[in-house]
Amino acid sequence: MPPAPQRGRLARRLAACAAVLATATGVALTATAPPAGADGAHRPAGTVDVQLLSFNDFHGNLEPPQGSSGSVEELQADGTKKTVPAGGVEYLAQSLRTARKGHPYSVTAAAGDMIGASPLLSGLFHDEPTIEAMNGLGLDVTSVGNHEFDEGRAELTRMQRGGCHPKDGCYEKGKTFRGADFPYLAANVTDDRTGKPILKPYTVWQHKGVKIGFIGVTLKGTPDIVNADGVKGLAFHGEVETINKYAKVLDRQGVKAIVALIHEGGLPASTSYNGNCDSPGPGAGISGPIVDIAKHVSPQVDALVTGHTHQSYTCTIPDPAGHPRTVTSAASYGRLYTDTTLTYDRRSHDIVRTAVHGPHAVNHVVDRTQPKAPDMTSLIGRWNKLAAPIADKPVGYLSADINGRGAGTPEEPLGDLIADAQLAATQDPGKGGAQLALMNPGGIRSDLAYKASGGEGDGVVTYAEAFTVQPFTNMTNVVDLTGAQLLAALQQQVSGPNEASPKILQISHGLTYTLDMTKTGAARVVADSVKLDGAALDPAKTYRVAMNEFLAGGGDGFPALKQGTNKYVGPSDLDALTTYLTAHSTPTSPLAPPAADRITLVK
């Protein structure tokens, strides 16, 4: 994903690298027990049921997300599907607190990307509001994700330990940011100089004689999807080898019950959060990187909580010993939480897993019909008051929804709009002389919704809403690329590291081509169909191409774009978008959604 969120127009976030005291030992957590109650009417003698509540990829979504990001698809008993509004920290906190009632043994964990790529309410304040919210809702532990590195190692350390921002200072008079009350785990992220993890690799949750170890890792490929400055001086190791290493460490300490928090995930066959991942057999309904990871993580690990793909699933994938093991993910943005029952045997100090039964897990909707958690409402109101002078400013007007992530198609209307905005910002000969623009789909974080999110009125785009779509410090770059290099970049959308899960670049007006998905690899891009303003792409000709700095650095599996020369640095992607919206729309002449017809798709 792209690099760091930016603090509006006030300042550009600079990722910093600073020495961090690394530690290779875990520190025990002490649980705050919910009210006592029944913890499993039919469990074996000598055991207790431990409730594991989990979620992932929150991305600073304190307020209910807009557009498609604010709902989940629910499969009904008759086979139809229903869209259910979901998410918002007021409801997530309430859901977790309600779920804990009657469970004397309950622990709450997450699988990374709690912060980063956040809406303005959190991103404007370097995600301090989100860490405060996670403290308040009782998060016990999380792994790091790739977005925890958006602002670099030093800022991640500040998130853990507290202290005011080194440039922007403290946001509230008399208040110093206290940092996370919960440990961030980074078992597979080490310092290049010392070889030691930059944060705790594991921790142990303890309550009334029950001990459960948590190991936290991010995906090994984090450096490929984060700005290089954010991971400078760090090494990212394999998920399986790291988890297995620390499972042995925990076992030697007498901790037999182990959960892995993994910021890597899979792609379920069902788009519904309650689809059956184990049909027609255990784990048959999921594909992607997590499947291979799950099959090789040591049997010492009893459950895997995963993330990164923003998908929802509760699967049973057998461990290397053939025993069933639960692998879960709760979508993203706080729309779901997973409730997993871990039956703990006090004699063996391990989780009970037989040849036919593993931990039981269910995903639940964070619905918006329940009461709001008052403390979270207060938190949102406090930070909104600080953000209001910037957040509420109108920057454009729409005639209808302009979908990005919610489009469900390779070419997104909002992607076309963003590419057009970057082209408009850089096409003047004195401002880069761009002839076309490219935008990575992962950098489009939401939709632009017609319906008002506050008191601004329907069809009005506020600065906060634009920020939610483009929450990064990505400066636009314009570079020279030959036609051959440009074609290679288009082919890299569907080949190499992107072949299994294509990343279709969003393109500016004037650029057209055919994408034939009946073919394989690079051949999916029909070479002689690529045209710019109606003229065939000339392999020998030099073109001026605009893109964000993340893409210009070869991010997201596009090494051809890194070959660009004669670089010009333009405005930030957010400034380009807001300027374009303001210039191309008025209350009486709102902007219509682009047709998204630049890529001809053959399926």
Side-chain angles (χ1 to χ4, degrees), residues 28-31 204-212:
L29 294 173
T30 301
V204 180
W205 178 86
Q206 299 187 62
H207 183 59
K208 295 183 178 180
V210 173
K211 295 192 296 184
I212 298 178

Side-chain angles (χ1 to χ4, degrees), residues 257-485:
I258 301 172
V259 174
L261 308 176
I262 309 172
H263 191 71
E264 178 61 289
L267 301 171
S270 173
T271 55
S272 302
Y273 82 87
N274 57 339
N276 187 357
C277 185
D278 291 333
S279 177
I286 189 170
S287 59
I290 199 61
V291 176
D292 189 59
I293 291 172
K295 288 179 178 179
H296 292 89
V297 164
S298 168
Q300 292 174 302
V301 176
D302 299 292
L304 278 58
V305 177
T306 74
H308 187 56
T309 57
H310 292 204
Q311 302 298 309
S312 56
Y313 46 84
T314 56
C315 303
T316 305
I317 301 177
D319 67 22
H323 292 157
R325 182 165 57 190
T326 301
V327 180
T328 67
S329 176
S332 60
Y333 307 149
R335 294 174 291 164
L336 300 174
Y337 72 92
T338 310
D339 190 335
T340 303
T341 300
L342 303 172
T343 300
Y344 184 89
D345 190 324
R346 289 190 177 277
R347 293 163 295 188
S348 67
H349 309 294
D350 205 349
I351 302 302
V352 176
R353 285 199 293 140
T354 69
V356 292
H357 295 295
H360 178 68
V362 179
N363 275 332
H364 297 280
V365 179
V366 176
D367 71 85
R368 299 182 196 159
T369 60
Q370 64 186 312
K372 298 178 180 180
D375 57 330
M376 295 298 155
T377 302
S378 176
L379 181 151
I380 289 172
R382 207 178 82 241
W383 287 102
N384 260 331
K385 186 176 180 180
L386 292 173
I390 298 171
D392 296 341
K393 179 184 176 183
V395 295
Y397 303 88
L398 311 177
S399 64
D401 290 350
I402 302 182
N403 287 329
R405 295 211 157 193
T409 53
E411 183 181 358
E412 305 167 359
L414 186 51
D416 286 356
L417 172 62
I418 291 170
D420 287 349
Q422 294 185 14
L423 176 60
T426 57
Q427 64 184 355
D428 187 281
K431 297 181 178 179
Q435 297 167 272
L436 67 139
L438 306 173
M439 176 64 197
N440 57 308
I444 304 169
R445 305 304 299 183
S446 187
D447 307 323
L448 283 179
Y450 176 80
K451 183 177 176 59
S453 59
E456 74 275 11
D458 290 346
V460 180
V461 181
T462 64
Y463 186 85
E465 290 167 337
F467 186 102
T468 298
V469 170
Q470 292 263 263
F472 303 107
T473 337
N474 272 327
M475 307 308 289
T476 54
N477 287 184
V478 184
V479 298
D480 285 346
L481 287 172
T482 66
Q485 290 170 328

Side-chain angles (χ1 to χ4, degrees), residues 23 26 31 44 75 140 165 179 192 202 205 209 223 265 294 339 345-346 381 403 438 478 491 524 527 533 579:
T23 176
L75 184 64
D140 289 306
H165 191 270
D192 279 344
Y202 64 87
W205 178 86
D339 190 335
D345 190 324
R346 289 190 177 277
N403 287 329
L438 306 173
V478 184
Q491 292 172 333
R524 289 171 168 174
D533 298 325
T579 299

Side-chain angles (χ1 to χ4, degrees), residues 139-224:
L139 182 61
D140 289 306
V141 58
T142 184
S143 69
V144 295
N146 54 288
H147 278 284
E148 264 80 22
F149 294 91
D150 278 352
E151 293 195 59
R153 172 180 174 175
E155 182 65 1
L156 172 56
T157 303
R158 188 178 76 89
M159 292 293 100
Q160 179 71 85
R161 299 180 181 174
C164 296
H165 191 270
K167 290 188 178 293
D168 296 333
C170 299
Y171 296 111
E172 296 177 287
K173 187 176 180 180
K175 289 187 178 180
T176 299
F177 175 58
R178 79 185 195 202
D181 292 344
F182 51 90
Y184 259 113
L185 304 182
N188 67 330
V189 186
T190 59
D191 184 297
D192 279 344
R193 293 170 300 148
T194 67
K196 295 181 179 179
I198 63 167
L199 294 170
K200 298 169 187 172
Y202 64 87
T203 194
V204 180
W205 178 86
Q206 299 187 62
H207 183 59
K208 295 183 178 180
V210 173
K211 295 192 296 184
I212 298 178
F214 288 88
I215 303 166
V217 299
T218 186
L219 69 156
K220 182 182 179 181
T222 290
D224 299 326

